[in-house]
Amino acid sequence: MNPETSMETATPYAPVALEFWYEFGSNYSYLSVMRVKELAEQYGVPIVWKPFLLGPIFKSFGWESSPFVLQKEKGAYVWQDMARECVKYNLPWKCPTSFPRSALLPMRVALLGADKPWIVDYNKRMMQVNFVEDLDIDNEEIVSKVLTELGLPASQLIAEAQSEDNKRRLRAQTETARQRGIFGAPTFFVDGTLFWGNDRLQDALIFAAGLKILPLD
Amino acid sequence: MNPETSMETATPYAPVALEFWYEFGSNYSYLSVMRVKELAEQYGVPIVWKPFLLGPIFKSFGWESSPFVLQKEKGAYVWQDMARECVKYNLPWKCPTSFPRSALLPMRVALLGADKPWIVDYNKRMMQVNFVEDLDIDNEEIVSKVLTELGLPASQLIAEAQSEDNKRRLRAQTETARQRGIFGAPTFFVDGTLFWGNDRLQDALIFAAGLKILPLD
C-alpha cells in the first residue's frame, strides 16, 4: 500500500454524490445549472442529473402556475432578485417575456442525456435560450438546433425522447420528486437529505464533501 | 480641511442605511436579528430598525397562517433548513413547539425601542425566548422579564407600548410594509431597493456600503 492510498483510506468522509433536480422553465434552476459543474468539481463531488417537471408538482398543490405568477408581490421581486443574482455570479441575464416557459420536450431530451457527457453543455444551452436569448424552448426546432450545435444526432435523440418509454420515465421521475418531498426547483439531495434552492447549492456540496456535518433534522 | 475629511469626501459611495424589517414570530428573522448588527458594523452601514406584523400581510394575501404551515411540503423542509442554518451561523436553535407564535406585545415594545440603543439586545433576547427557549412571547410576563434583565423600566414601557397611539403606529408601519411590497420577513430596504430573506442580508449590506453596484431592475 503506497502512502497516497493510505491517506485516501484514512479520509473520514468520502464525498457522496449531489443529486441535482432541475427544470428548464425554472429561473432559479438557471443559476444552479450554470454554476453546479465547476462548483462540484472544486469540492470533488460527483453530480447525478435529475431532470423533472415542475408543473405536475405545482398542480399537486392545487396551483395552476408558478408561485411567482400566482403571488404577484413575490413575482415582482423575483425578477429584481434574478438580475442581482446574475451580477453576483457573473452570468448573462434577460428577463423572460414569457414565464414560466413550458419545457416538456427539452426535459425529455435531458432525461435521455442524464448519464451522458453532453448533459452539462446541453443543460446550459437550453437555459441560455430561455433566460438569455428569451426564446421559447418547447419546440423541435430549438432543441434540434442546440443538439446539432453540440455535434449530436438531433433527429434521432428527439425521436427517442418522444418514445412512449421515455415519456413514461419522465412522468415516473416527476412522481418520485413529489414523493420525496420536492416542492420547487432547483432541489439537491445528498444522501437522502433535501436542500432547496440555488442559495443552498454550496451548503449541499459542503455536506456532500463531508467537510462539515450538518444536523439532519 | 484635514486629510481624513478629504478622504471621506472623496469616497465615491457613502454607505446608506439598511432598513431592517422583522417580526419576532418569523424564524428566518431570527437568523438576521442575531447577525445583522455585527455584519452591518463590518460594512460600516447604519441600521434603521423596522418592526412590523407579518399576520396582516399574510391576511392581505388571503392566508390564515404562515406559508410554512399552509404548504406542508415546504413546512417540513423549513425546520431542517433552520437547524442547518443555525449550525452554519453558529447560533443556538430549538425547533419551536408552537409556530408561528403571536408577537403583538413584543413587537409593540420593539416599535417603542426602534430608535433606542437597547433595541439590539431586546430583539436578540425576544428571538432567543421564541427560538432557543421555545416559550410563548406574547405576554406581559416574558416581555417584562426581558426588559428588566436589560435594566429597563418594564412596567412603564409596556404601558406605553399598549397606548392607543403606539398601537396605531404599529398598524401604520405594517400598512407601510404592505404598500412597499413586503411579502415576508426578514426584508431589507436599501435606498428604496428591496432584498428579501436572511439569504440576502449580506448582499443588501454590500449594496448599502456601495461596494458593488447591483442593477435595480
Side-chain angles (χ1 to χ4, degrees):
Chain A
M1 189 185 277
N2 67 40
E4 235 172 51
T5 314
S6 168
M7 271 184 72
E8 274 169 19
T9 313
T11 304
Y13 310 106
V16 294
L18 178 88
E19 275 184 27
F20 175 36
W21 294 75
Y22 64 100
E23 229 273 15
F24 292 135
S26 150
N27 55 291
Y28 287 110
S29 292
Y30 165 60
L31 300 178
S32 290
V33 159
M34 301 308 284
R35 301 170 60 226
V36 66
K37 186 62 174 10
E38 290 69 18
L39 208 54
E41 277 172 1
Q42 288 176 24
Y43 286 99
V45 169
I47 302 167
V48 178
W49 304 91
K50 293 283 190 179
F52 76 111
L53 298 174
L54 260 182
I57 303 286
F58 289 161
K59 280 214 178 78
S60 78
F61 302 151
W63 304 348
E64 284 308 309
S65 184
S66 159
F68 304 158
V69 173
L70 299 177
Q71 195 192 337
K72 68 177 200 304
E73 294 78 7
K74 188 180 281 186
Y77 169 74
V78 158
W79 307 116
Q80 299 174 19
D81 185 53
M82 279 301 298
R84 293 195 295 251
E85 289 287 276
C86 287
V87 169
K88 189 163 84 180
Y89 296 123
N90 195 27
L91 292 171
W93 168 252
K94 188 168 184 300
C95 192
T97 50
S98 172
F99 180 86
R101 286 204 163 104
S102 166
L104 188 57
L105 177 61
M107 295 312 294
R108 284 173 175 162
V109 172
L111 189 65
L112 276 187
D115 55 358
K116 308 285 191 305
W118 54 265
I119 189 69
V120 180
D121 289 334
Y122 171 76
N123 287 339
K124 287 185 177 176
R125 280 298 297 132
M126 288 313 309
M127 282 301 202
Q128 286 166 333
V129 172
N130 192 357
F131 295 110
V132 182
E133 296 163 30
D134 189 26
L135 296 172
D136 284 327
I137 53 175
D138 198 10
N139 62 73
E140 287 194 29
E141 193 186 339
I142 198 75
V143 175
S144 177
K145 183 168 174 278
V146 166
L147 291 171
T148 304
E149 281 171 11
L150 297 173
L152 297 165
S155 309
Q156 183 194 318
L157 287 171
I158 288 172
E160 214 180 319
Q162 289 174 313
S163 69
E164 283 310 311
D165 179 59
N166 192 61
K167 287 178 180 177
R168 201 178 310 121
R169 280 179 59 220
L170 187 58
R171 280 195 297 272
Q173 180 125 305
T174 299
E175 177 56 20
T176 298
R178 198 193 58 75
Q179 287 176 359
R180 289 180 65 184
I182 287 180
F183 53 88
T187 289
F188 314 99
F189 270 104
V190 177
D191 205 16
T193 297
L194 189 158
F195 295 80
W196 172 55
N198 177 66
D199 290 328
R200 295 291 176 274
L201 171 55
Q202 191 155 17
D203 289 348
L205 287 169
I206 288 170
F207 185 56
L211 295 176
K212 191 173 176 182
I213 299 305
L214 298 168
L216 294 178
D217 60 297
Chain B
M1 191 185 274
N2 66 39
E4 236 173 51
T5 313
S6 170
M7 272 184 70
E8 275 171 18
T9 312
T11 305
Y13 310 105
V16 295
L18 178 90
E19 275 184 25
F20 175 37
W21 294 74
Y22 63 100
E23 231 271 16
F24 292 135
S26 150
N27 55 291
Y28 287 110
S29 291
Y30 165 60
L31 300 178
S32 289
V33 159
M34 301 307 284
R35 301 170 60 225
V36 67
K37 184 64 174 11
E38 289 69 17
L39 208 55
E41 277 172 0
Q42 288 176 24
Y43 286 98
V45 169
I47 302 167
V48 179
W49 304 91
K50 294 282 190 180
F52 77 111
L53 298 175
L54 260 184
I57 303 285
F58 289 161
K59 280 215 178 77
S60 78
F61 301 150
W63 304 347
E64 285 306 309
S65 184
S66 159
F68 304 158
V69 173
L70 299 178
Q71 195 191 338
K72 69 177 199 306
E73 293 79 7
K74 188 180 280 185
Y77 171 73
V78 158
W79 306 115
Q80 299 173 19
D81 186 53
M82 280 300 298
R84 294 195 293 250
E85 288 287 276
C86 287
V87 169
K88 189 161 86 181
Y89 296 123
N90 196 25
L91 292 172
W93 168 252
K94 186 166 184 302
C95 192
T97 50
S98 171
F99 180 86
R101 286 203 163 105
S102 166
L104 188 57
L105 177 61
M107 294 313 293
R108 284 173 175 161
V109 172
L111 188 66
L112 275 186
D115 55 358
K116 307 285 191 304
W118 53 265
I119 189 68
V120 179
D121 289 334
Y122 172 75
N123 287 339
K124 287 184 177 178
R125 280 297 298 131
M126 288 312 310
M127 282 300 202
Q128 287 167 331
V129 172
N130 191 357
F131 295 110
V132 181
E133 295 163 32
D134 189 26
L135 296 172
D136 284 327
I137 53 175
D138 198 10
N139 63 73
E140 286 194 30
E141 192 186 340
I142 197 76
V143 175
S144 178
K145 183 167 173 279
V146 166
L147 291 170
T148 303
E149 281 171 11
L150 296 173
L152 296 164
S155 309
Q156 183 195 317
L157 287 171
I158 287 172
E160 214 180 317
Q162 289 175 312
S163 70
E164 283 310 312
D165 180 59
N166 192 61
K167 289 178 180 177
R168 202 177 311 121
R169 280 180 59 220
L170 187 58
R171 280 196 297 271
Q173 180 125 307
T174 299
E175 177 56 19
T176 298
R178 198 192 58 75
Q179 287 175 0
R180 289 181 66 185
I182 287 178
F183 53 87
T187 290
F188 313 99
F189 269 105
V190 177
D191 205 17
T193 296
L194 188 157
F195 295 79
W196 173 55
N198 177 67
D199 290 328
R200 295 290 177 274
L201 171 55
Q202 191 156 14
D203 290 347
L205 287 169
I206 288 171
F207 185 57
L211 295 177
K212 190 173 177 182
I213 299 304
L214 298 170
L216 294 176
D217 59 296

